[in-house]
Structure formats: structure tokens, C-alpha cells
Amino acid sequence: MMPIPGSGLAKGLAVTLRTMTRRSHTAQYPDVQPDLPPRSRGVIGLFEENCTVCMLCARECPDWCIYIDSHKETVPAAAPGGRERSRNVLDRFAIDFSLCMYCGICIEVCPFDALFWSPEFEYAETDIRDLTHERDKLREWMWTVPAPPALDPAAEEPKEVAAARKAVEKLEAAAAQADTPTDPAPEGGAGA
């Protein structure tokens, strides 16, 4: 069957007329903050105490937008006769958000949980050079990071926790067995 000429135009106009009669749902953004989904990606927060300057985040970043500078300090021996140790001290940690593509690789590869997603998204600047945020600004965003979701009570116990619990139970059983007195042999000996 041949379509009627102009039926597509009529359908399009019908959709336009239907939407024209509905009320619009405009969010008044600056006055009313949007309701973001939990754990949404905004900016990256830095928990500086956990950073060991391992440089994994900077090496794995596909955009090379993480800049880290550090120096080595000598730590005196903890005990007399021990040897001095050296450790890295963080001098600069900066992220250039004009280059960042928010892939989250830096957060995933951080072995010491120093980087986290913050839901903050209002960090616009008038100059693109101001989008490189140093560690003090990244630390401010750390305090806006939401707590991780609670564990599922129906989930099975992690292997590490189960192994530790079994080891503790084994030690307790051995200690309890050592504390119980053994029955002395009956009087008269075995052949009486």
C-alpha cells in the first residue's frame, strides 16, 4: 500500500502540537541544586596522608594531566642500632581538569586509596589556565566525598575475613584445650 503524501509531515506537526501544550519542566539551576545520583563523578579529591608518591596515577593517566613533584627525606632509625630509611615527601600534586577526561583510571590504580571521586561539579573558571588545581584545592574536595555504600548483608564473607576468623577460632580452640585439665589415670593402674 502506498503511503499518503505528507503523512510524515502531519505526524511531525502532531508531535510538535502535543509538546507545545505541555508545561515545561525547567530546572532553575543556580537557585535549585540538581539532585545528583549517588557516587556521581565530579572532581577528584586527594587524601594527602595516604599518598606515597608512587606515581602510578600519573603514569597510568591517558591524558597526562596529573603533575607530581616530590623529594626524598631521611627518616632516623626507629630503634638504636637500626638503619636510617628514606621516604618520598609530596611537594606538588596537581590535576589539570582542562585535560582530564574523567575516566577514573587514576582512582582505580591508586594502591593506597589517596584519590576519590567527589560529586562537586561547580569549578568553572574564566581562564583555562586556572583549571589546574593544586593539592590544597584537591584536599578541600576530599571532605565532600560521600561515604562508601554499606556492604550487602546477604553477600558472602570475604575470603580474607573468613581465613582470619578461622585462624582465631583455631587458636581459641587450642588455648581452650590446653586449659582443660586431663583426667588422671584411675587408681590401681591399668592391670588392677
Side-chain angles (χ1 to χ4, degrees):
M1 184 158 141
M2 192 82 164
I4 301 172
S7 64
L9 178 64
K11 287 179 185 178
L13 288 173
V15 169
T16 303
L17 288 173
R18 265 196 313 259
T19 55
M20 282 177 57
T21 58
R22 292 186 195 151
R23 286 187 55 85
S24 63
H25 299 284
T26 304
Q28 302 299 324
Y29 163 62
D31 301 326
V32 179
Q33 291 294 320
D35 188 24
L36 297 174
R39 310 298 290 171
S40 59
R41 294 180 177 189
V43 293
I44 298 168
L46 171 68
F47 191 56
E48 196 173 325
E49 286 78 16
N50 287 357
C51 184
T52 60
V53 196
C54 65
M55 303 282 200
L56 278 176
C57 55
R59 279 185 292 204
E60 295 296 324
C61 180
D63 292 331
W64 292 88
C65 65
I66 299 175
Y67 309 111
I68 301 174
D69 291 331
S70 68
H71 69 276
K72 288 197 181 277
E73 277 186 0
T74 303
V75 179
R83 67 182 181 113
E84 294 181 337
R85 307 255 179 199
S86 67
R87 68 179 180 103
N88 284 332
V89 177
L90 186 65
D91 292 331
R92 179 181 187 223
F93 193 105
I95 300 176
D96 188 353
F97 285 104
S98 66
L99 296 175
C100 182
M101 64 179 181
Y102 304 92
C103 64
I105 292 174
C106 57
I107 295 169
E108 294 296 322
V109 300
C110 182
F112 301 103
D113 290 333
L115 297 173
F116 295 91
W117 281 117
S118 169
E120 293 293 318
F121 62 93
E122 295 175 318
Y123 55 94
E125 300 287 345
T126 55
D127 189 1
I128 196 168
R129 291 173 290 198
D130 294 335
L131 282 172
T132 301
H133 295 290
E134 299 292 332
R135 67 182 183 178
D136 56 339
K137 186 67 173 174
L138 298 175
R139 182 165 185 90
E140 287 177 26
W141 284 325
M142 184 60 212
W143 308 122
T144 62
V145 173
L151 298 175
D152 184 8
E156 77 180 50
E157 190 175 37
K159 295 174 191 170
E160 297 85 358
V161 174
R165 185 178 43 73
K166 286 179 185 176
V168 167
E169 288 172 358
K170 197 176 195 181
L171 287 173
E172 288 174 351
Q177 192 175 28
D179 288 343
T180 57
T182 56
D183 291 336
E187 290 185 29

